[in-house]
Each structure stands twice: as structure tokens, then as C-alpha cells.
């Protein structure tokens, strides 16, 4: 790296690891910048502010670091730079992380939600590039969503828009982590699929279920068809409310073989009425989507 060249740093803080991406502050906003450096660190859980400051300082080296953006799993007051609640890193709860790191490092530091970071990156630099109105859906342990219009997440009045995992699919269904019944997550989230598969004697978790479905197993087919049907209903609701120009689906459960998604897409086609169903495409930035989103945010705000 050229000594003294202006750079920005993105830190994607996860429950177990922190991914970093260092990019030139003069990088183009049109395409993902070639990272000057990227890597992983263990998440500092007991003193996260000091630990994250140490990571940023060690990466700074001789470079002219202009801005740091961190993405955090959990509820974040992005305007204030405060972590409201993080299930994975409880020591961050209520901390004014942006202000504290900014004081440590002497430069602006922003804090954003990790799902929002991944969504802006996919919408601008990934599978949604070139489309003005993109909905990004992550299928994993939970189901996260974000509507990105003209490159910006539409957060809603309280920052919680896009929670597609908690729309009701089965009003009399099982209890969800949110306390309500029959949310999408109770049917297609990874724990829900695992539970349904174990209940019929299946092994190997959601991956085992999908493999058995591919092999034509009847019990696996019932579970996968129910999950895909639920996802299809959620997508139709999404189209009715948001009318996106593209739906990007990522997350652990959407990786190939992603028959959950292809089957859902078929059901959506069969069930749509007035809905304008946009292309439903797989995410392309993979596990670096969040880190790319932090760098993109840093480049935009400098
Ligand atoms: Zn719920």
C-alpha cells in the first residue's frame, strides 16, 4: 500500500468473526473496489470497543485512514451510532460504539446493521446492480430482508422495515422466536427445517433434508414443498406491498442446491394474480457482502 494514501476501512462484525476490507478512499462507487487488504479476526466479545479499536489501529498502519464503518448483527440506531441490542455480542448492548471508536481513532466512525450492509452491497455491486428498486432476502437461521431503493435501504420509521421473516403464514402455527405464531421463520428458517426433518426421523440437518429431497425422499418432499410454499406466499406479499424490480435471495439456505428457492419461484408464478413478479436471483457477493456494504457506506459518506 502506498504510504499516506487515503483509505477507508469496513469491519463486518459477526458473532464469531470480524471481517475487514481496506480500500482506497478514491475507489469508484460503481463497482466493488479491489481490496488493499482483507482478512478475519476473532470477535472481541468481553471488551468489544477496545478490541475493535485495536483491530482498526493495527490495520491502519501508515495509511491515512479517513473513515471506518462497522456492521453489527442486531438492532442499531444508525443515526446515533448506538448498538441498541445485539444478541450475539451482548457486551455491545446500549453502547455508543460510533462515538467511542471515533474518540479512540480520531476519525469519523459509523455503525450500521449487518443485514442493511449486505443488502446495499448486493443491490449496488452484486445481483441487484443496475436495478433501482431491489429487495434483498437472506434465508438462514432467521429470515432477514431489506428494501433498497436507489442504493439506500428504506429503513421505515423505526429502522425495522423488511422483517419478512415475521409475517404470518399460518395464524394457528407454531410459536416463533418473536412470540407470535406461524411466522415465515417458523416454517422455512434453518431451525424450523431441522425440527421438521428430525420429527420424521431425518438426519443431517437442513442440508440432509435438501439432499433427501433431491433424492426423491417422500417425507423430505412434504417438508420442502411446505417451506417453499410459505416462501412463495411471502414473496407474493412482498410484491403486493413493495413491487420490487428484482428480488435477491442469499444466506446459508439459499446456496446451491437451492431447490427451496426454485420451487418457491414456481409457486409464485402459478399463484400470482395482479402481481408483477420481478426476476428472483441468487446473491453474488457471498459471505463478503456485509464487508462490501461497510466499504460502500464509507466511500459514500467520506
Ligand atoms: Zn416471528
Amino acid at each position: 500500500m502506498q504510504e499516506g494514501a487515503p483509505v477507508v476501512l469496513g469491519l463486518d462484525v459477526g458473532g464469531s468473526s470480524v471481517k475487514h476490507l481496506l480500500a482506497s478512499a478514491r475507489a469508484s462507487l460503481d463497482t466493488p473496489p479491489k481490496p488493499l487488504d482483507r482478512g478475519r479476526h476473532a470477535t472481541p466479545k468481553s471488551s468489544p470497543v477496545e478490541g475493535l479499536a485495536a483491530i482498526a489501529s493495527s490495520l491502519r498502519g501508515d495509511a491515512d485512514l479517513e473513515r471506518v464503518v462497522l456492521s453489527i448483527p442486531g438492532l442499531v440506531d444508525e443515526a446515533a451510532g448506538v448498538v441498541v441490542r445485539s444478541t450475539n455480542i451482548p457486551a455491545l448492548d446500549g453502547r455508543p460504539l460510533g462515538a467511542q471508536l471515533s474518540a479512540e481513532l480520531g476519525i469519523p466512525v459509523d455503525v450500521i446493521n449487518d443485514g442493511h450492509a449486505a443488502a446495499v452491497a448486493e443491490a449496488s455491486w452484486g445481483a441487484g446492480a443496475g436495478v433501482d428498486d431491489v429487495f434483498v432476502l437472506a434465508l438462514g437461521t432467521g429470515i432477514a430482508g431489506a428494501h433498497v431503493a436507489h442504493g439506500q435501504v428504506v429503513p421505515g420509521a423505526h429502522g425495522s422495515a423488511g422483517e419478512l421473516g415475521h409475517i404470518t403464514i399460518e395464524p394457528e402455527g407454531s410459536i416463533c422466536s418473536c412470540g407470535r405464531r406461524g411466522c415465515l421463520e417458523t416454517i422455512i428458517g434453518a431451525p424450523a427445517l431441522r425440527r421438521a426433518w428430525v420429527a420424521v426421523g431425518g438426519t443431517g440437518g437442513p442440508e440432509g433434508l435438501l439432499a433427501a429431497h433431491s433424492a426423491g425422499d417422500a417425507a423430505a418432499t412434504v417438508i420442502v414443498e411446505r417451506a417453499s410454499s410459505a416462501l412463495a406466499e411471502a414473496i407474493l406479499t412482498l410484491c403486493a406491498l413493495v413491487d420490487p424490480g428484482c428480488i435477491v435471495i442469499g444466506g446459508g439456505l439459499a446456496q446451491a442446491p437451492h431447490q427451496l428457492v426454485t420451487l418457491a419461484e414456481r409457486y409464485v408464478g402459478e399463484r400470482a394474480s395482479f402481481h408483477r413478479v420481478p426476476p428472483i436471483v441468487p446473491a453474488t457477493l457471498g459471505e463478503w457482502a456485509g464487508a462490501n456494504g461497510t466499504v460502500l457506506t464509507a466511500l459514500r459518506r467520506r
Side-chain angles (χ1 to χ4, degrees):
M1 186 187 328
Q2 197 187 335
E3 197 172 310
V7 297
V8 293
L9 173 65
L11 294 176
D12 179 18
V13 182
S16 54
S17 74
V18 178
K19 297 192 196 77
H20 81 258
L21 262 184
L22 199 62
S24 164
R26 300 195 185 102
S28 158
L29 285 171
D30 299 336
T31 52
K34 194 172 162 350
L36 298 170
D37 188 27
R38 74 174 196 179
R40 285 170 200 273
H41 317 257
T43 301
K45 289 207 170 178
S46 51
S47 343
V49 179
E50 294 74 9
L52 292 167
I55 291 172
S57 299
S58 72
L59 294 166
R60 179 181 216 164
D62 293 329
D64 173 18
L65 183 60
E66 287 193 349
R67 182 177 284 269
V68 178
V69 175
L70 298 99
S71 66
I72 301 288
L75 191 58
V76 175
D77 180 342
E78 297 187 4
V82 173
V83 179
V84 178
R85 187 165 169 272
S86 177
T87 320
N88 293 327
I89 316 165
L92 282 177
D93 286 5
R95 299 293 289 266
L97 184 60
Q100 289 182 329
L101 284 179
S102 183
E104 288 273 341
L105 300 168
I107 52 170
V109 177
D110 301 297
V111 185
I112 62 178
N113 166 268
D114 63 341
H116 289 180
V120 286
E122 282 293 347
S124 304
W125 287 343
V131 180
D132 283 341
D133 219 289
V134 180
F135 198 92
V136 182
L137 190 56
L139 302 182
T141 303
I143 313 288
H147 176 205
V148 185
H150 304 283
Q152 304 287 342
V153 170
V154 180
H158 311 93
S160 60
E163 287 284 3
L164 206 66
H166 297 285
I167 64 167
T168 307
I169 301 292
E170 296 175 346
E172 312 297 327
S174 0
I175 295 274
C176 181
S177 61
C178 74
R180 285 173 51 79
R181 278 188 186 275
C183 296
L184 179 63
E185 259 183 41
T186 68
I187 303 166
I188 198 175
L193 292 176
R194 182 177 291 110
R195 261 195 313 277
W197 185 221
V198 166
V200 295
T203 56
E207 295 78 13
L209 165 71
L210 294 175
H213 172 255
S214 295
D217 181 271
T221 300
V222 170
I223 298 168
V224 168
E225 287 183 349
R226 175 168 172 259
S228 296
S229 174
L231 179 58
E233 290 304 317
I235 289 173
L236 286 168
T237 300
L238 178 63
C239 292
L241 282 178
V242 174
D243 185 22
C246 173
I247 297 174
V248 177
I249 302 190
L253 279 178
Q255 269 147 36
H258 43 78
Q259 64 263 55
L260 284 167
V261 177
T262 45
L263 194 55
E265 206 174 346
R266 199 183 88 204
Y267 292 147
V268 168
E270 289 167 2
R271 298 175 191 174
S273 70
F274 69 90
H275 311 78
R276 297 287 300 272
V277 179
I280 299 172
V281 297
T284 58
L285 298 176
E287 59 168 354
W288 286 91
N292 270 287
T294 56
V295 164
L296 175 59
T297 304
L299 291 173
R300 282 181 176 161
R301 292 184 182 176
R302 66 178 288 266

